[in-house]
Amino acid sequence: MKTTRLTLPAALIIFASLFVAFTNKTDNNGGKPAAQINLTADTTLIDTLNNALTQYNKRLPAEKVYLQTDKPYYNLGDTLWFKAYILNGEDFTPTHQSGLLYVELNDDTTSNVRRVSLVIKDGVAWGQIPLLSKIFREGGYTLRAYTNWMQNFGNDYLFTRRIYIGTSSAVKWLVTSDASLNKNNGLDEVKVDIKLNRIDKLFSPIALKKMQVKLFDDWHWVYKETMQTGIDGSLKFSQLLKEKTKVANMHVEITSLEKADNGKVVQVPLTLVKTLDVQFLPEGGHLVAGLKCTVGFKALSDNGKGTQASGVILDSAGKQVAAFSALHNGMGAFEFTPKAGEKYTARLSYPNKQTFNLPAVKSEGTVMHIVNSEQGNLININVRNTANSRLSDSCYLVGTSRGVLYYAQAVTPNQPDIAIAKNNFPTGIARFTLFKGKQPLNERAVFIDHQDGLNIKITPNKSTYSKRDSVSMAIQVSDAQGFPVKGSFSVAVTDNAQVKADTIGNDNIQTSLLLNAGLKGHIEEPGYYISRKDKKAWQALDNLLLTQGWTGYDWTTILSPQKKAPAFEVEKSIKVTGYVSNISKKPLINHQVIMSSQKPFFITATYTDSAGIYKFDNLPRIDSGSFFIQANNKNGRKIVTGNINVKNFIPAKVDTYQSPLIPWYVNTDSTMINHLKRKINKAEDESYKLSGNVLQEVKIKETKIIKNSFWDPGFADIVYDEKDIKESAMLNLYELLKQKIPGFRVVNNWKRPYGGLAMTMRGEYRVYIQIDGWGLPIHIDDPYSAEELIAEISEIKNVILTGLELKTTTGTARIEASVAVQLTTRNGRGWYKLPKTGTVTYRPIPLMYPQQFYSPKYNI
């Protein structure tokens, strides 16, 4: 990544980050599998492995996706601009396989808030997601991008990025937060010290103001008190927690009770560590009695992030045999020689006294140790075995990278170290496997860095610029030998006072493809391992590969391929498929199926195959409309018995746990403080006054009205009309409610008088749903589960809705607080399940039309 700084008016610093997506550059071996074969035995196994890998890659060719966004965090009302690069996983060239890319934003309840599809052309796609306040709420989100085909390889192959969406700085407080978790009479006690400062009044403390403070354990508050801030704007409290209280997502909600603040609310996530999870992973896979072994470990706190940990390894008699201490982000390694029949335990000395069991010791086997120095061109591999392991000459060491075989070597028991030249492999993660016949014995991943990245030089046409001046830049890209490189590139230009420069490359295409895409789980600060600006970074990178270096295929799958077709198909274009059956659910063969759309207007037809399946391919682009599909009988008329359905898109599963994000206004740094100071400085504001025809402020006085709604106009707190429902891009009512009601969920309530019935909730509020004035009809025999209720709500498709209204009631002593939802349908007769006949309406995921980034034309 290249950073260029230009001096502009009003003390603004501009930086440009240029990311290389793909080029015509090849790896140092030409990008082709050229395995170094050095065998003293039959090469049949190597041929078998090589052919199996080749066939696997032909049957399941991997794809990789990288998204460059214009900023790392956003405010409500912003637009998230992005460019996507979709590459072949083997050589990082543009994919010509998939034609559609899905980009989505999921909130921290793991609910999808926005999902769009984009057309891929020559390996690139671009688009934008407006972060409208009627769709999004302040909080953490996960940005994901993937093709349908990529779902065959699991979530580790998907592109993911955590972003925070905030609100305008003009309506926020600055928060300084400090929280700790300690033991008090055997119980956990959380202590919180918060200070509030104003943004709009020279950062003065919010002193002597009445506040309601709630401490939340996920959805439930465990502490509630009305307090007054101190003269310094401070709020301090402590609370004993129940034994099973979750601290991973604990946060404080502060609501101003001052009339002038109009109920202002601020959320403050807390970073607390209650317990650690420490995993111990022997190099190569096993602890073997009598063989010295390197053991990697990783310590994770409740919030899923690596944390400093140290301790000792004890045998069954309590004798110390080794000590360990994390080097970086909770990861480290140590060596010891295990004994037969022993059980080993790790006891922490920091940050607490937890104990963990090490993996069991095998009485026989092999250990593979790799030394991969940062300097030099050799990887040294040592293979040792126990006398009773019965190794033979049929052992082979193979090396792969990106799913391609690059190295093969016959191995004899306890032979001297094997030295392998690094230039056999491309830059990135290489994986070594020791085989006995077709059985893998040991595996280990290492990182190879030939320092062969592209050199990017950005030269501005001048060093300083005047107000509203145009900026021209010359961009030169060359390879390690200085030769020009042809490729696809993108540049993001932002204000350095608002966005911190990513100086170590935590989020660029290089770290994404070379590191993130080849490892399991979340990687903290991936740029640290690639840029390596301190002496311990190379060892930290090796520890990372010891603990997280396993992803993608396994050899069992490679050598015993399943004949079953992949679960997810390659999508070249917009496609609709489904099934037509008779009343006995048997397929209707060679029956005509007609599809039509009003916007854009078209009509087309096809016929079902021998399995009753119909398929429409290469359909026209459709942004928010729907398709009408009808199955006809042999006489060309709609079938009156039987069924026609549509195969809906199955999105990638969302991880249930999302690492918490700290809002920009909590413990903010000097960069943001300086930016805010400039924004509230009147003299500075004068230099940003608009010129030209400035529009006057528009005040909306009328209330949005839903025609034929059961509620009177003005009764609802929030109103969404048919246009809003279409723009939500949600297909069914459950998805829509998750988007429009933050915190909406379906739970099993075991408290009386409900007795285990599933209920719709928002926090501690009940959610009551009405359709055209009637309560939501449930067609499931009591008692029903949360899953069944979700399925029932999902049956209601959004294409029938013309309005959604929300009303929140605070409750009284006799009536519980609740959220009422009123739905208005197109026919006004409520909703009930009709027997499925020969027609179905289907609204696909919106296909996005890329827009041009706004570029003003100044009259200087």
Side-chain angles (χ1 to χ4, degrees):
M1 181 180 74
K2 177 70 175 179
T3 299
T4 297
R5 300 179 183 274
L6 311 176
T7 303
L8 292 138
L12 289 179
I13 305 297
I14 299 294
F15 77 96
S17 300
L18 189 146
F19 296 83
V20 181
F22 48 78
T23 71
N24 62 353
K25 178 181 180 299
T26 60
D27 299 319
N28 50 318
N29 65 352
K32 298 178 181 179
Q36 175 183 313
I37 307 295
N38 183 14
L39 301 175
T40 57
D42 185 18
T43 62
T44 303
L45 175 65
I46 302 302
D47 292 338
T48 300
L49 294 176
N50 197 22
N51 291 335
L53 273 172
T54 301
Q55 293 302 315
Y56 180 85
N57 289 331
K58 284 183 178 180
R59 189 173 69 91
L60 290 170
E63 291 178 322
K64 304 288 186 182
V65 173
Y66 176 75
L67 249 66
Q68 182 192 356
T69 59
D70 59 323
K71 292 191 296 185
Y73 43 79
Y74 297 85
N75 280 334
L76 293 173
D78 288 348
T79 297
L80 190 159
W81 298 88
F82 61 86
K83 185 175 181 181
Y85 300 95
I86 306 91
L87 314 174
N88 294 316
E90 182 178 313
D91 55 10
F92 299 157
T93 57
T95 184
H96 293 288
Q97 182 172 238
S98 292
L100 289 177
L101 177 72
Y102 297 97
V103 178
E104 61 188 29
L105 276 168
N106 302 312
D107 65 19
D108 278 356
T109 67
T110 70
S111 299
N112 176 253
V113 181
R114 186 68 162 156
R115 181 182 293 118
V116 297
S117 60
L118 301 102
V119 174
I120 301 170
K121 184 177 181 181
D122 297 327
V124 297
W126 54 90
Q128 65 289 323
I129 299 178
L131 305 176
L132 306 176
S133 58
K134 61 185 177 182
I135 294 178
F136 293 89
R137 302 291 185 272
E138 180 176 4
Y141 290 81
T142 301
L143 175 67
R144 303 201 302 175
Y146 55 93
T147 64
N148 192 55
W149 177 253
M150 288 173 65
Q151 295 193 67
N152 291 303
F153 304 90
N155 275 14
D156 286 315
Y157 269 72
L158 276 56
F159 172 87
T160 61
R161 179 185 299 160
R162 296 282 285 144
I163 64 172
Y164 193 87
I165 300 177
T167 56
S168 172
S169 60
V171 296
K172 275 293 173 193
W173 297 328
L174 286 180
V175 180
T176 302
S177 172
D178 183 30
S180 62
L181 195 67
N182 304 290
K183 286 292 184 180
N184 186 345
N185 293 325
L187 292 176
D188 291 315
E189 182 181 36
V190 60
K191 293 185 177 181
V192 180
D193 185 353
I194 290 174
K195 291 182 180 178
L196 304 176
N197 288 78
R198 298 189 183 278
I199 290 177
D200 55 347
K201 292 187 178 180
L202 300 177
F203 302 91
S204 61
I206 302 174
L208 306 177
K209 300 295 183 182
K210 195 175 181 180
M211 305 282 177
Q212 182 189 77
V213 178
K214 285 184 177 181
L215 176 65
F216 280 86
D217 159 25
D218 208 0
W219 295 110
H220 308 91
W221 59 267
V222 296
Y223 171 86
K224 176 181 177 182
E225 187 175 346
T226 298
M227 307 174 66
Q228 181 174 278
T229 58
I231 194 69
D232 58 350
S234 62
L235 292 167
K236 298 181 181 180
F237 64 92
S238 61
Q239 175 65 23
L240 290 174
L241 304 177
K242 294 181 180 180
E243 185 177 349
K244 295 184 179 181
T245 300
K246 299 177 181 178
V247 301
N249 292 319
M250 188 162 277
H251 64 280
V252 176
E253 181 181 274
I254 304 171
T255 304
S256 175
L257 301 179
E258 301 291 334
K259 187 175 181 180
D261 288 332
N262 196 27
K264 183 181 293 186
V265 178
V266 63
Q267 305 283 347
V268 184
L270 303 181
T271 302
L272 301 169
V273 178
K274 183 177 181 180
T275 59
L276 295 185
D277 176 30
V278 185
Q279 294 181 330
F280 294 88
L281 302 110
E283 182 180 27
H286 311 288
L287 293 176
V288 180
L291 300 181
K292 188 177 181 180
C293 180
T294 298
V295 180
F297 69 91
K298 182 167 186 177
L300 293 174
S301 63
D302 298 89
N303 60 12
K305 294 186 177 181
T307 186
Q308 179 60 35
S310 58
V312 294
I313 305 299
L314 306 174
D315 62 16
S316 56
K319 180 182 177 181
Q320 178 179 329
V321 297
F324 62 92
S325 181
L327 179 69
H328 182 73
N329 280 342
M331 289 175 284
F334 60 91
E335 292 182 341
F336 85 114
T337 303
K339 295 181 179 179
E342 275 288 356
K343 293 182 179 180
Y344 294 96
T345 303
R347 185 178 67 196
L348 297 182
S349 57
Y350 179 86
N352 54 35
K353 302 297 183 181
Q354 285 180 258
T355 59
F356 300 88
N357 294 326
L358 266 66
V361 179
K362 298 181 66 175
S363 59
E364 62 181 65
T366 59
V367 169
M368 181 171 67
H369 177 60
I370 295 183
V371 176
N372 177 31
S373 61
E374 186 172 12
Q375 307 301 325
N377 187 43
L378 293 178
I379 300 170
N380 293 294
I381 301 180
N382 179 266
V383 177
R384 287 162 291 151
N385 69 292
T386 58
N388 56 357
S389 63
R390 298 183 296 277
L391 282 186
S392 63
D393 291 337
S394 62
C395 289
Y396 300 90
L397 179 68
V398 299
T400 60
S401 180
R402 306 177 195 171
V404 177
L405 182 67
Y406 283 91
Y407 178 86
Q409 168 75 54
V411 177
T412 56
N414 295 316
Q415 70 177 71
D417 287 3
I418 302 169
I420 301 174
K422 293 182 182 180
N423 57 18
N424 282 305
F425 301 88
T427 291
I429 295 173
R431 182 181 181 186
F432 290 93
T433 308
L434 178 66
F435 281 92
K436 180 182 179 181
K438 291 185 179 182
Q439 178 186 359
L441 301 179
N442 305 95
E443 288 189 314
R444 173 77 149 91
V446 299
F447 193 83
I448 294 173
D449 191 351
H450 295 298
Q451 299 291 323
D452 55 353
L454 299 181
N455 298 310
I456 304 169
K457 183 179 181 181
I458 302 177
T459 307
N461 60 334
K462 48 187 176 181
S463 58
T464 59
Y465 294 86
S466 59
K467 181 172 65 175
R468 295 180 179 174
D469 205 348
S470 60
V471 179
S472 297
M473 293 183 294
I475 301 175
Q476 181 180 357
V477 184
S478 58
D479 62 16
Q481 288 73 41
F483 293 104
V485 172
K486 180 182 178 181
S488 179
F489 311 93
S490 54
V491 177
V493 181
T494 58
D495 181 349
N496 212 22
Q498 300 181 60
V499 178
K500 264 191 166 181
D502 183 9
T503 55
I504 65 171
N506 275 327
D507 186 13
N508 63 31
I509 196 167
Q510 184 181 32
T511 55
S512 179
L513 294 179
L514 296 181
L515 200 61
N516 296 18
L519 299 178
K520 272 190 174 294
H522 173 66
I523 302 173
E524 300 175 60
E525 301 179 298
Y528 169 82
Y529 304 104
I530 300 297
S531 62
R532 297 196 297 280
K533 294 185 177 182
D534 64 45
K535 294 182 179 179
K536 68 177 184 179
W538 182 259
Q539 181 59 51
L541 173 58
D542 199 55
N543 293 339
L544 174 71
L545 294 170
L546 266 173
T547 56
Q548 290 183 235
W550 313 111
T551 188
Y553 58 81
D554 59 62
W555 285 107
T556 303
T557 304
I558 297 296
L559 295 171
S560 302
Q562 299 292 323
K563 296 182 179 180
K564 186 178 177 181
F568 298 91
E569 298 179 347
V570 171
E571 292 182 330
K572 292 288 186 182
S573 60
I574 301 176
K575 179 170 59 176
V576 175
T577 64
Y579 176 73
V580 181
S581 61
N582 61 20
I583 196 170
S584 302
K585 297 184 179 180
K586 293 183 179 180
L588 291 177
I589 301 170
N590 200 30
H591 275 55
Q592 185 186 53
V593 179
I594 298 176
M595 171 185 282
S596 62
S597 171
Q598 292 185 351
K599 188 178 181 183
F601 178 78
F602 82 98
I603 185 168
T604 186
T606 188
Y607 287 86
T608 58
D609 61 16
S610 59
I613 295 173
Y614 66 89
K615 180 183 296 185
F616 293 98
D617 212 339
N618 296 314
L619 295 170
R621 293 189 176 188
I622 185 168
D623 52 0
S624 61
S626 57
F627 294 117
F628 179 79
I629 307 170
Q630 176 176 307
N632 292 336
N633 57 26
K634 299 291 186 178
N635 298 322
R637 296 181 179 180
K638 185 185 78 169
I639 61 174
V640 293
T641 59
N643 176 39
I644 179 172
N645 63 26
V646 177
K647 182 180 179 181
N648 292 312
F649 169 75
I650 302 175
K653 293 182 179 180
V654 181
D655 296 331
T656 55
Y657 175 78
Q658 303 294 333
S659 59
L661 290 176
I662 304 300
W664 66 266
Y665 54 82
V666 176
N667 297 333
T668 192
D669 59 22
S670 57
T671 301
M672 184 60 71
I673 293 289
N674 292 334
H675 167 61
L676 296 174
K677 283 182 177 179
R678 288 210 308 271
K679 287 196 72 171
I680 64 174
N681 185 292
K682 292 183 179 180
E684 185 72 10
D685 286 344
E686 287 295 318
S687 67
Y688 289 103
K689 282 186 176 180
L690 297 174
S691 63
N693 298 321
V694 181
L695 296 176
Q696 298 298 317
E697 180 184 5
V698 177
K699 294 184 178 180
I700 301 175
K701 298 180 179 180
E702 295 185 0
T703 302
K704 188 179 292 186
I705 297 175
I706 303 299
K707 186 178 179 181
N708 298 326
S709 170
F710 185 77
W711 286 354
D712 294 330
F715 176 76
D717 298 324
I718 304 175
V719 178
Y720 300 101
D721 59 17
E722 187 174 5
K723 180 181 177 183
D724 297 327
I725 294 172
K726 284 185 177 181
E727 289 178 349
S728 74
M730 299 294 105
L731 302 180
N732 62 61
L733 179 59
Y734 177 73
E735 294 176 345
L736 187 66
L737 293 175
K738 291 282 283 184
Q739 182 187 95
K740 300 304 183 186
I741 306 178
F744 175 84
R745 68 197 196 284
V746 179
V747 299
N748 288 314
N749 194 328
W750 298 103
K751 296 179 180 180
R752 293 183 180 276
Y754 307 110
L757 297 183
M759 302 170 63
T760 50
M761 303 286 291
R762 178 197 179 188
E764 296 190 336
Y765 285 51
R766 286 285 305 275
V767 177
Y768 295 94
I769 304 172
Q770 296 179 328
I771 302 182
D772 294 327
W774 301 95
L776 176 64
I778 301 299
H779 302 289
I780 302 172
D781 294 334
D782 296 344
Y784 49 84
S785 67
E787 291 73 20
E788 289 173 316
L789 182 53
I790 290 172
E792 184 69 23
I793 298 173
S794 301
E795 282 284 333
I796 302 176
K797 306 305 178 185
N798 295 338
V799 291
I800 72 169
L801 301 179
T802 59
L804 184 152
E805 300 166 271
L806 306 175
K807 177 69 175 179
T808 302
T809 59
T810 56
T812 65
R814 295 185 178 181
I815 302 175
E816 64 177 351
S818 63
V819 176
V821 176
Q822 179 63 234
L823 303 170
T824 303
T825 66
R826 201 175 305 281
N827 60 23
R829 297 195 299 268
W831 179 84
Y832 52 92
K833 286 185 178 179
L834 291 172
K836 294 181 179 179
T837 55
T839 63
V840 65
T841 301
Y842 175 64
R843 180 177 291 168
I845 295 173
L847 187 63
M848 172 169 289
Y849 291 82
Q851 298 177 2
Q852 182 156 356
F853 193 89
Y854 172 68
S855 178
K857 294 182 179 179
Y858 296 119
N859 295 319
I860 300 177

